[in-house]
Amino acid sequence: MSSSFMLVVVLVCINVASKAEGSRAFFVFGDSLVDNGNNNFLATSARADNPPYGIDYPNHRATGRFSNGYNIPDIISQEIRAESTMAYLDPLLNGEKLLVGANFASAGVGILNDTGYQFVNILRMYRQLELFESYQCRVANLIGEEAKTRLVNNGLVFMSVGCNDFVNNYYLMPLSARRIQYPNLEDYCHLLISEYKKILHKIYDLGARRVLVMGAGPLGCVPAMLASWSNDGNCATELQKAASIFNQQLVEMIKDLNQEIGSDAFIAVNTKRMQHDFIDNPQDYGFETSKVACCGQGTYNGVGICTEASHLCNDRTKYAFWDAFHPSEKANRIIVRTMLSGNHEYMTPMNLSSILRLDAAALDGTRT
């Protein structure tokens, strides 16, 4: 092997390693609120790879995001001055692109393995964590074991899971198997939180040291639930109660978990409270409605899925919800803005801006 070829190889390796040291990786796990297109590569009905999804994305194409444009992880990436994470199943995710991080989320999943069974082939949470291990092996081969460990330890993790355990499991039908098993809602929430804690323990064991954990959103206020549960246009009380109980237990679990490990590794994100700001007062945020979805059909455009045959609004910035379940890009931007600056009612124990400052200072300290 020639010395010139060896020099090129060494220079490439140095360049890749320096990129790993100079950027913060971002890892995303969870459901359709944060899926960047993994389900495009799976045989499942839980997909968003057809128009009008992506109508306001830069290339105006459906990417697999359940949004008219950017979703929450995309906007967080913009705030940390990074590229959007690619879906881990995307064959184009390789080489230096791995250093940006990866998105393992899959629409339809829940905390429980039986959640979303109707979608058949989705990446359940245990599988997402297995793929995270696979990702780490690939990165170690690229930049070495020590650099890989630093990349993961210094990375930011975002997790959104739990909503489907209610809307696509417990409340999927009047007498679901889980409702029969757990007639008391608090007991069911306790099951979810205990299983969620196992997931968070596992991701910590895999090297994650800063994890944003999104709670359940305003389940009773999304257009799909207004259409099927509400008689008067007000948020469905039972589903709102479920989200509140889950979120309260989640905050307590995260406090306990942080005490166990001796650091504020996990941050509770109260997305229910964040969304209620603009659901309760849509005009204050420039929305015309927080009840009717931009894309859909039936009451509140909340019946069925968003397709090319659906009613489609002309101005997506006037709608808090893009489809029957998911916020519009504008609403996602409001959510992320609140993550950055919100007080303890929104983010516990600290907001995203505080996290970024603390972590940047700590990283600078290790380099000096």
Side-chain angles (χ1 to χ4, degrees):
M1 186 179 293
S2 68
S3 58
S4 60
F5 179 80
M6 287 293 294
L7 178 60
V8 170
V9 171
V10 169
L11 290 174
V12 169
C13 291
I14 290 173
N15 182 52
V16 171
S18 66
K19 286 188 177 182
E21 293 292 340
S23 59
R24 183 169 201 174
F26 186 33
F27 307 104
V28 181
F29 301 84
D31 52 29
S32 59
L33 288 168
V34 294
D35 185 353
N36 274 15
N38 279 304
N39 281 20
N40 294 359
F41 305 95
L42 300 172
T44 177
S45 60
R47 297 167 67 136
D49 56 346
N50 287 302
Y53 285 97
I55 189 172
D56 297 311
Y57 197 73
N59 61 8
H60 305 293
R61 298 178 62 182
T63 62
R65 292 164 171 82
F66 286 76
S67 173
N68 58 300
Y70 289 120
N71 62 13
I72 290 171
D74 290 321
I75 299 165
I76 293 176
S77 292
Q78 292 167 12
E79 292 295 336
I80 64 175
R81 295 179 175 83
E83 302 172 35
S84 288
T85 55
M86 293 178 64
Y88 187 70
L89 296 186
D90 191 331
L92 297 178
L93 179 61
N94 52 51
E96 293 183 15
K97 293 177 182 177
L98 288 165
L99 305 182
V100 174
N103 187 308
F104 303 90
S106 178
V109 304
I111 296 167
L112 303 178
N113 287 333
D114 58 294
T115 291
Y117 68 88
Q118 68 272 34
F119 303 124
V120 187
N121 190 21
I122 52 180
L123 301 179
R124 306 192 185 281
M125 290 308 300
Y126 74 88
R127 182 57 180 153
Q128 292 185 31
L129 296 178
E130 288 175 350
L131 293 175
F132 188 37
E133 293 184 79
S134 172
Y135 163 88
Q136 293 192 39
C137 290
R138 294 173 65 187
V139 172
N141 290 333
L142 185 67
I143 61 176
E145 187 67 28
E146 289 187 9
K148 178 272 294 181
T149 299
R150 287 194 298 272
L151 183 83
V152 173
N153 289 166
N154 294 331
L156 181 67
V157 176
F158 190 79
M159 185 169 290
S160 167
V161 67
C163 292
N164 283 321
D165 293 287
F166 295 103
V167 299
N168 280 310
N169 192 330
Y170 195 77
Y171 293 113
L172 183 61
M173 55 188 70
L175 285 177
S176 66
R178 288 295 187 181
R179 288 184 83 173
I180 295 171
Q181 183 182 11
Y182 293 95
N184 184 292
L185 180 58
E186 290 199 18
D187 290 342
Y188 181 65
C189 290
H190 181 74
L191 169 70
L192 294 180
I193 294 300
S194 63
E195 292 301 311
Y196 206 169
K197 188 174 183 179
K198 295 174 185 176
I199 294 170
L200 297 181
H201 261 301
K202 178 63 175 177
I203 205 166
Y204 185 84
D205 291 343
L206 292 174
R209 294 296 180 266
R210 192 68 84 182
V211 185
L212 301 175
V213 184
M214 195 158 81
L219 301 177
C221 304
V222 301
M225 296 300 103
L226 289 180
S228 58
W229 281 73
S230 177
N231 295 320
D232 57 6
N234 291 320
C235 299
T237 304
E238 176 74 8
L239 287 155
Q240 290 293 88
K241 178 182 176 182
S244 294
I245 294 172
F246 176 85
N247 288 341
Q248 289 166 6
Q249 292 188 17
L250 179 65
V251 169
E252 291 306 312
M253 181 266 280
I254 285 177
K255 287 179 180 177
D256 292 343
L257 191 53
N258 284 340
Q259 287 181 348
E260 286 179 27
I261 62 179
S263 70
D264 290 329
F266 298 98
I267 312 296
V269 180
N270 191 341
T271 185
K272 182 174 182 287
R273 173 65 189 274
M274 293 175 185
Q275 292 187 61
H276 263 296
D277 285 350
F278 57 76
I279 286 174
D280 295 343
N281 301 287
Q283 284 74 31
D284 292 350
Y285 293 84
F287 295 122
E288 289 182 356
T289 177
S290 59
K291 296 182 184 294
V292 181
C294 169
C295 180
Q297 47 278 317
T299 308
Y300 303 110
N301 273 352
V303 179
I305 61 174
C306 171
T307 70
E308 288 185 279
S310 299
H311 299 293
L312 180 66
C313 68
N314 292 322
D315 186 351
R316 272 73 65 185
T317 67
K318 300 298 183 183
Y319 288 73
F321 286 95
W322 157 245
D323 65 11
F325 287 99
H326 305 95
S328 63
E329 179 186 318
K330 179 178 177 179
N332 285 332
R333 290 193 178 278
I334 295 169
I335 292 168
V336 173
R337 189 166 69 229
T338 310
M339 288 183 195
L340 285 162
S341 61
N343 60 29
H344 284 198
E345 293 181 357
Y346 298 94
M347 302 284 289
T348 306
M350 70 187 89
N351 62 34
L352 183 53
S353 292
S354 298
I355 291 168
L356 297 176
R357 284 195 300 271
L358 283 172
D359 293 350
L363 190 58
D364 287 342
T366 62
R367 290 172 176 169
T368 56

